[in-house]
Amino acid sequence: DVKVTQSSRYLVKRTGEKVFLECVQDMDHENMFWYRQDPGLGLRLIYFSYDVKMKEKGDIPEGYSVSREKKERFSLILESASTNQTSMYLCASSPPSGGIYNEQFFGPGTRLTVL
Amino acid sequence: SQQGEEDPQALSIQEGENATMNCSYKTSINNLQWYRQNSGRGLVHLILIRSNEREKHSGRLRVTLDTSKKSSSLLITASRAADTASYFCATDTQGGSEKLVFGKGMKLTVNP
């Protein structure tokens, strides 16, 4: 069974803290994604990585950075957490498909609260 | 950049009834996908339909695609309480991008 795991289901942090959200996939996928999900706004792409050490900004990268040192792990970093980053964070992965069959596999999500 | 938009935003039906959800999108696509999300969980892929296909079936799911109208529908037949979830359509963009753009989702409630 394919598996995408995220380091925490729930996380509570204080404003100004540096926050690391980890995502690991065991499917040897090249592509990995970080989304945030907010009520009424759906899923919005924060960052995308298509290979080790490669990254591309999504629609809302401000306040976030990412790290992909190994193929199976994609980390999302909040350099200085703010209350408006309280959200559900979803990680996903997909194999390369040339955009033809790009099904994404999702982790269970991390609900982050910033106080 | 929001591409797909689901309609209706919420639907409540009785067990055994059929549920139909619609998705409209704006630009040309290679494929359109539907995902389900149970409350507080990640998304699960349901079905993918390519731009050169008009209809696809998978179990109790039937998806149609009309590229001239830039719209798709997902039909769940003989619904069950376990089908209660949020449903999202997602589209790629032509040009080989691996990224998907998701709609805002619609909430389906199936009452036992």
Side-chain angles (χ1 to χ4, degrees):
Chain A
D1 235 8
V2 296
K3 221 44 183 224
V4 179
T5 56
Q6 294 183 229
S7 49
S8 306
R9 289 298 317 280
Y10 300 94
L11 208 52
V12 179
K13 295 291 181 180
R14 299 228 170 255
T15 303
E17 279 193 77
K18 190 168 186 176
V19 181
F20 293 87
L21 302 182
E22 304 284 342
C23 175
V24 177
Q25 51 97 0
D26 66 358
M27 295 164 283
D28 203 34
H29 285 169
E30 276 76 3
N31 304 312
M32 296 188 75
F33 309 83
W34 274 108
Y35 298 90
R36 65 175 283 177
Q37 183 178 22
D38 300 288
L41 297 177
L43 272 74
R44 293 179 291 166
L45 181 65
I46 305 171
Y47 265 100
F48 159 51
S49 169
Y50 50 92
D51 203 347
V52 175
K53 297 191 190 293
M54 307 302 283
K55 62 186 179 186
E56 189 177 305
K57 291 180 181 177
D59 299 319
I60 50 164
E62 296 79 20
Y64 303 94
S65 62
V66 290
S67 171
R68 186 130 182 239
E69 295 297 319
K70 293 185 178 180
K71 191 176 185 181
E72 67 270 19
R73 188 180 297 269
F74 192 33
S75 303
L76 180 69
I77 304 153
L78 288 66
E79 296 290 342
S80 177
S82 63
T83 55
N84 63 13
Q85 292 178 309
T86 291
S87 187
M88 171 72 119
Y89 289 87
L90 293 166
C91 175
S93 71
S94 71
S97 69
I100 303 300
Y101 193 85
N102 45 4
E103 171 189 348
Q104 292 186 10
F105 296 84
F106 281 81
T110 295
R111 187 164 294 281
L112 173 67
T113 302
V114 182
L115 302 175
Chain B
S1 54
Q2 217 74 40
Q3 165 88 301
E5 291 287 339
E6 296 87 355
D7 171 60
Q9 292 191 325
L11 181 64
S12 182
I13 60 175
Q14 295 300 123
E15 229 173 6
E17 293 180 342
N18 295 342
T20 299
M21 291 160 265
N22 302 301
C23 171
S24 58
Y25 58 93
K26 296 185 178 119
T27 63
S28 297
I29 60 172
N30 284 316
N31 65 66
L32 185 143
Q33 304 178 38
W34 285 91
Y35 288 78
R36 184 187 74 221
Q37 183 182 35
N38 289 88
S39 182
R41 308 296 297 186
L43 278 69
V44 174
H45 181 262
L46 294 176
I47 195 165
L48 177 149
I49 186 164
R50 295 199 176 98
S51 59
N52 61 355
E53 297 175 311
R54 292 296 166 257
E55 188 171 313
K56 201 160 181 181
H57 296 255
S58 176
R60 293 184 295 113
L61 305 180
R62 174 179 167 248
V63 172
T64 60
L65 179 65
D66 187 334
T67 52
S68 67
K69 294 181 179 175
K70 291 187 169 59
S71 68
S72 172
S73 67
L74 172 68
L75 169 68
I76 303 174
T77 59
S79 64
R80 305 166 182 167
D83 294 327
T84 294
S86 292
Y87 291 82
F88 295 82
C89 66
T91 53
D92 66 342
T93 53
Q94 288 185 338
S97 171
E98 303 289 354
K99 293 185 284 187
L100 296 176
V101 180
F102 288 83
K104 294 179 183 178
M106 69 142 287
K107 172 71 179 165
L108 173 66
T109 302
V110 181
N111 301 299

